Amino acid sequence: MKTDRKGSFTFPGGVHPSDKKNLTADSKIQYGFTGKESAIMLCQHIGAVCQPLVSKSDEVEEGQKIGENEAFVSAPVHCPIKGKVKGIELRPHAVLGRSEAIIIEGDSEERARRPSEGEDVFGSAFDESQYTSEQICQAIREAGIVGMGGAGFPTAVKIGINAKQPKEVLIVNGCECEPYITCDYRIMLEWTYKILAGVRLAQKVSGCSKVLIAIEDNKPEAIEAMSEAISKLSMDGKIGIAAVKTKYPQGGERQLIKSVLKRNVPTGGIPPMIGVLVLNVATTAAIAEAVVEGTALTHRVVTVTGEGIKEPSNYYAAIGTSVEELIDFSGGLTEEAVEVILGGPMMGISIADLSTPITKTTGAITVLTREQIGEAKFSGRQTACIRCGRCLLACPENLNPTKIAHAVKNNMLDLAKKYYISGCMECGACSYVCPANIELTGYIKTGKILIAKEKKTNAE
Ligand code: SF4
Ligand code: SF4
């Protein structure tokens, strides 16, 4: 199939930051790395927090389920290494401050693990018809798969057939629009057939009649690899490729749907309301592993990158490995390193404690230098709003960031709600373009936290 590599699909708003993908785009995924211990967070998804199924000093096997919650919206957690439970302790968490984790001390001889990735398993020999929808759904649930693009919503809940909201179109998100990050790009090149096997399983279980894999046009090799594999599997006409324009945040669910299908997800709504299911490419690969190999989500590909890292690369790392160990594995920090971010520079969260473990949704560790952050932003120097309107033009959700931020700053939360603070996806595009260095996204995030606290207090 000949696929147009030039992206013709786009959405209103957005920005064009330097993508910085060159630091790791050619770095093949490195396998066999696991930290000295794994700290498995009991909360790494949207929904009910897991309860531990193991106790201190228990012997555990690789892939063993060690935490779960029977609530409908939840996902179990599993042990990535054979070893012993050292304890259940609080560990630093980028969003929650500190959160409970099961600490596993690994058996050094048993740490390395490689996924099977041959075309014989996921390529021409793969046939989704040998699995029933129930089997697929059950395998996804048992494997603890969640949205690996960052959302962390349990995939089994998202993917199943819902008679009230039938799904028609499956969009597989291969955009990876955040600067610096290349983990999804690498798996599109190296796990192409595994992704396609997951896509076919996801299509079967969701009941979607149409499938599109959306990839930004700054990744022509990924577009080529996917197109070739689709042709080799004789799936032309069944799975399409949509080359989308390179623009941030093209990978946002709502922006991607607008770009590819020219349809709007209602404000405050979710894609299934308009018959659309969006899955990240890494999530589809995890689906294939869970269904075909019966493996739980215990490892993921993480990009360790930025000008503050000596040897940036991509790693297939055990979930629960600390940021510090992954940075050490990448040669350590450069002398100029000043900020460590869990995620990318636009939507990621700065962390001060490097013992923070990676979770199912950690796609990258980005370390920036003073030069990358920018002198003015580094010194925190803000000036008054000059009413240039750039933040309004950049906002992909058609919001007025400056008005929302102003309302939050003056503790007028009702006004912030009227300006639709809840519609903000926290993409950071407004802060990025602001010439006055106003941390608009920071104010908005704070406003959301204050509104949630207010709601909780009113409910008590
Ligand atoms: S207001 Fe929210 S959605 Fe709009 S640009 Fe700012 S962070 Fe992004
Ligand atoms: S971009 Fe900054 S200076 Fe311009 S209107 Fe928005 S808040 Fe004001």
Side-chain angles (χ1 to χ4, degrees):
M1 181 177 69
K2 187 83 191 135
T3 303
D4 189 1
R5 288 181 180 193
K6 188 88 187 119
S8 52
F9 303 99
T10 191
F11 63 94
V15 291
H16 296 273
S18 171
D19 74 15
K20 305 276 188 169
K21 307 272 187 191
N22 59 319
L23 290 176
T24 54
D26 294 331
S27 305
K28 285 190 176 168
I29 301 166
Q30 297 189 43
Y31 294 88
F33 170 71
T34 304
K36 291 189 194 79
E37 62 173 35
S38 295
I40 310 301
M41 287 287 179
L42 290 165
C43 178
Q44 13 184 339
H45 53 264
I46 290 175
V49 176
C50 291
Q51 299 300 317
L53 299 173
V54 289
S55 308
K56 189 175 176 179
S57 302
D58 282 357
E59 303 277 348
V60 282
E61 294 296 324
E62 180 184 325
Q64 182 181 330
K65 196 196 288 182
I66 54 174
E68 73 175 342
N69 190 306
E70 285 180 2
F72 181 60
V73 182
S74 189
V77 292
H78 302 77
C79 184
I81 44 172
K82 183 178 188 293
K84 196 180 232 183
V85 178
K86 194 175 156 195
I88 298 169
E89 302 166 6
L90 290 175
R91 282 288 191 272
H93 189 289
V95 179
L96 304 172
R98 288 176 84 72
S99 189
E100 236 177 16
I102 300 173
I103 318 299
I104 313 285
E105 240 174 1
D107 173 341
S108 59
E109 285 165 31
E110 302 279 345
R111 276 182 201 154
R113 172 182 168 275
R114 249 189 99 113
S116 71
E117 50 184 358
E119 292 180 20
D120 52 332
V121 179
F122 297 112
S124 54
F126 174 76
D127 176 9
E128 67 274 25
S129 70
Q130 54 187 299
Y131 307 99
T132 66
S133 293
E134 290 70 31
Q135 281 173 329
I136 300 168
C137 224
Q138 180 67 8
I140 294 170
R141 187 181 300 281
E142 275 302 301
I145 298 173
V146 303
M148 292 171 75
F153 192 80
T155 305
V157 179
K158 185 176 182 177
I159 207 170
I161 294 208
N162 179 343
K164 287 187 193 153
Q165 290 178 347
K167 300 174 190 79
E168 296 152 19
V169 186
L170 166 60
I171 300 179
V172 181
N173 190 349
C175 288
E176 199 166 52
C177 58
E178 266 268 2
Y180 288 93
I181 308 178
T182 59
C183 56
D184 287 351
Y185 172 66
R186 286 311 316 177
I187 70 165
M188 283 190 277
L189 295 184
E190 297 179 46
W191 295 1
T192 319
Y193 286 91
K194 196 192 302 189
I195 289 171
L196 289 175
V199 169
R200 290 156 71 181
L201 291 163
Q203 181 180 19
K204 176 164 183 171
V205 76
S206 63
C208 290
S209 55
K210 186 173 178 184
V211 181
L212 286 167
I213 301 177
I215 305 172
E216 278 186 308
D217 62 4
N218 64 347
K219 304 174 187 72
E221 293 86 355
I223 294 173
E224 197 65 39
M226 282 289 170
S227 303
E228 264 183 40
I230 289 168
S231 288
K232 275 190 187 163
L233 295 173
S234 306
M235 305 231 39
D236 296 297
K238 293 182 185 155
I239 300 177
I241 302 276
V244 295
K245 275 197 175 155
T246 300
K247 181 162 74 163
Y248 180 84
Q250 183 66 263
E253 278 193 348
R254 297 162 65 87
Q255 286 65 44
L256 197 51
I257 292 168
K258 179 74 183 172
S259 293
V260 174
L261 302 176
K262 308 280 173 256
R263 292 166 71 184
N264 293 311
V265 179
T267 304
I270 51 173
M273 290 168 76
I274 58 165
V276 182
L277 170 68
V278 182
L279 293 175
N280 171 268
V281 283
T283 311
T284 60
I287 290 172
E289 286 183 355
V291 175
V292 178
E293 301 179 313
T295 47
L297 181 54
T298 56
H299 291 65
R300 68 155 298 148
V301 181
V302 184
T303 306
V304 183
T305 185
E307 286 80 356
I309 290 284
K310 284 186 182 158
E311 295 160 21
S313 192
N314 288 295
Y315 302 101
Y316 183 70
I319 288 160
T321 305
S322 73
V323 167
E324 187 172 22
E325 283 177 298
L326 277 163
I327 289 175
D328 286 347
F329 203 65
S330 303
L333 300 173
T334 63
E335 279 181 16
E336 296 78 30
V338 292
E339 185 180 18
V340 178
I341 303 168
L342 212 56
M346 299 297 280
M347 287 191 85
I349 300 173
S350 295
I351 55 167
D353 190 336
L354 300 188
S355 68
T356 303
I358 62 161
T359 67
K360 296 173 187 179
T361 58
T362 309
I365 296 163
T366 309
V367 183
L368 301 180
T369 63
R370 185 183 282 233
E371 194 185 336
Q372 269 68 53
I373 295 169
E375 205 56 43
K377 284 212 160 87
F378 183 76
S379 62
R381 201 172 61 235
Q382 291 187 9
T383 54
C385 170
I386 56 168
R387 301 185 189 279
C388 65
R390 286 188 206 172
C391 54
L392 279 81
L393 289 175
C395 181
E397 291 293 341
N398 208 17
L399 301 172
N400 188 326
T402 182
K403 282 195 170 172
I404 303 174
H406 190 260
V408 173
K409 198 175 173 185
N410 291 287
N411 205 22
M412 296 188 285
L413 296 181
D414 284 341
L415 189 60
K417 284 185 225 168
K418 278 191 190 149
Y419 290 137
Y420 260 111
I421 187 171
S422 61
C424 169
M425 61 182 287
E426 301 175 16
C427 68
C430 50
S431 303
Y432 175 78
V433 293
C434 179
N437 293 311
I438 300 171
E439 240 317 317
L440 296 158
T441 318
Y443 282 118
I444 295 171
K445 283 183 184 174
T446 305
K448 285 186 179 181
I449 293 168
L450 293 174
I451 289 167
K453 272 189 183 163
E454 188 185 70
K455 204 171 159 190
K456 200 175 164 200
T457 311
N458 291 344
E460 284 167 2

